[in-house]
Amino acid sequence: MPTFKKLDDLGDIAGKVALVRVDFNLPMQDGAVTEDTRVRAAAPTILELSARGAKVLLLAHFGRPKGARVPDQSLSLVLGAVEKVLGKEVMFVPEVAGDVVKQAVGILGPGDIALLENTRFWPGEEKNDPELVKAIAANADFYVNDAFSAAHRAHATTEGLAHVLPAYAGRSMQAELEALEKALGNPVKPVAAVVGGAKVSSKLDVLKHLVSRVDHLIIGGGMANTFLAANGIDVGKSLCEHDLADTAREILANADASGCIVHLPYEVVVSKEFAANPPSLRTCNVHEVAADEMILDVGPAAVEALADALKTCRTLVWNGPLGAFETPPFDAATVALAKIAAALTADGSLVSVAGGGDTVAALHHAGVAQDFSYISTAGGAFLEWMEGRELPGVKALEV
Ligand code: ADP
Ligand code: MG
């Protein structure tokens, strides 16, 4: 694993100013934060720096304001949720650089915390503009990146700052990297990957490289439909990207060449309408899907076959649910396989790692999230890590 500096490598930081990049891109509904997992993930780093006497300036993006001040994407909206998790008062500063931040630093005492405005209000953030990087860095002594989930992007506050200030990985970043390295850096074979979900086009790219790194590739969800169609199977009205058939066939050929066994569902759960427990619900062979039906889950017999394959494996990485798990009974395959993975993990025979917003939600729904070896907070970054790509935000921390 590449080496990077950690909070343990910081000397005396009492009175020093820390810029800490966190992921506070929290889900909101009607102006209220609905889920604070990401704040809880960053809390150990923030509280440790505060306890050691640093003045802590928090940097984060929120939504996609595309370089303009959008009032309903101000980070001030999450201030209350952040204070609640930290159990401390946090000052809000409506800038990321310049005199306003400088004055705030003057007011803060050792151990105090401030939340700066949404970094994406400035066009230089996503452009990784050296001028913006310099201006932000001017008010601080060192930089800590605790946002693994944003590390696949080379932005001013996820990458640029690491080049102009002494840079350290925060505790959550460190935990993500160590856990992923343990599971995937030198994984105990055989390795299985489960890839499902709906973002077919963005995930297909990942599979091209993944097949050479895993022994079993289990494909479910909308992803499976694209592969089935590429194999000439009629998938009816299913979510499917027909124009990616060539890519799908290329991936199957790559898998063949590298000895990776691909598991596509041979039995599926279908219905004519997408609703909970629809009257047209039935389970059938993949060759029997009617033109007016949709594949919405993997069938129970096919899940048993997947379970048998998983039992021969020692490492599992999972991104993407096997079916439309939010709508019963299309959660059945995902829940069943998740429970098997959890049991194998409890037996000590499997290291299981999962990532992705919906995947983690599905594992919580199955009641087994805490039984996995590791759950990543990241979606996109987790996938790129799985693929073996170098993440710019991580690379910049390397010493
Ligand atoms: P993640 O957030 O874990 O990366 P995705 O966002 O790619 O996962 O995909 C999750 C979504 O995929 C879920 O909303 C789920 O309902 C949907 N999905 C899974 N299988 C199917 C299917 N067969 N047809 C339609 N949608 C599906
Ligand atoms: Mg998703």
Side-chain angles (χ1 to χ4, degrees), residues 150-283:
H152 56 313
R153 302 192 172 109
H155 293 173
T157 64
T158 62
E159 203 268 349
L161 284 172
H163 296 296
V164 298
L165 286 172
Y168 302 83
R171 295 300 180 198
S172 157
M173 171 73 87
Q174 183 188 340
E176 290 270 8
L177 292 173
E178 285 172 358
L180 291 179
E181 180 64 28
K182 188 171 156 208
L184 290 182
N186 199 356
V188 185
K189 287 175 148 289
V191 180
V194 174
V195 182
K199 291 181 205 150
V200 179
S201 46
S202 62
K203 291 185 184 184
L204 261 194
D205 251 0
V206 177
L207 297 190
K208 272 188 205 164
H209 301 267
L210 201 63
V211 289
S212 62
R213 310 182 84 210
V214 303
D215 305 289
H216 292 267
L217 175 63
I218 294 172
I219 309 180
M223 181 71 87
N225 302 338
T226 301
F227 278 84
L228 292 170
N231 277 347
I233 291 169
D234 187 351
V235 297
K237 284 196 301 169
S238 303
L239 170 71
C240 177
E241 300 204 26
H242 291 281
D243 53 336
L244 295 174
D246 284 341
T247 315
R249 281 189 288 264
E250 189 190 328
I251 291 163
L252 293 174
N254 282 2
D256 221 30
S258 52
C260 169
I261 301 168
V262 177
H263 302 260
L264 281 167
Y266 60 86
E267 180 203 44
V268 288
V269 180
V270 300
S271 85
K272 291 195 206 314
E273 61 281 283
F274 186 24
N277 306 303
S280 60
L281 180 76
R282 70 184 189 106
T283 298

Side-chain angles (χ1 to χ4, degrees), residues 292-304:
D292 60 349
E293 286 180 320
M294 271 175 283
I295 302 173
L296 290 166
D297 201 12
V298 176
V303 173
E304 269 184 51

Side-chain angles (χ1 to χ4, degrees), residues 316-329:
L316 165 69
V317 285
W318 188 335
N319 174 264
L322 295 180
F325 75 98
E326 301 93 336
T327 312

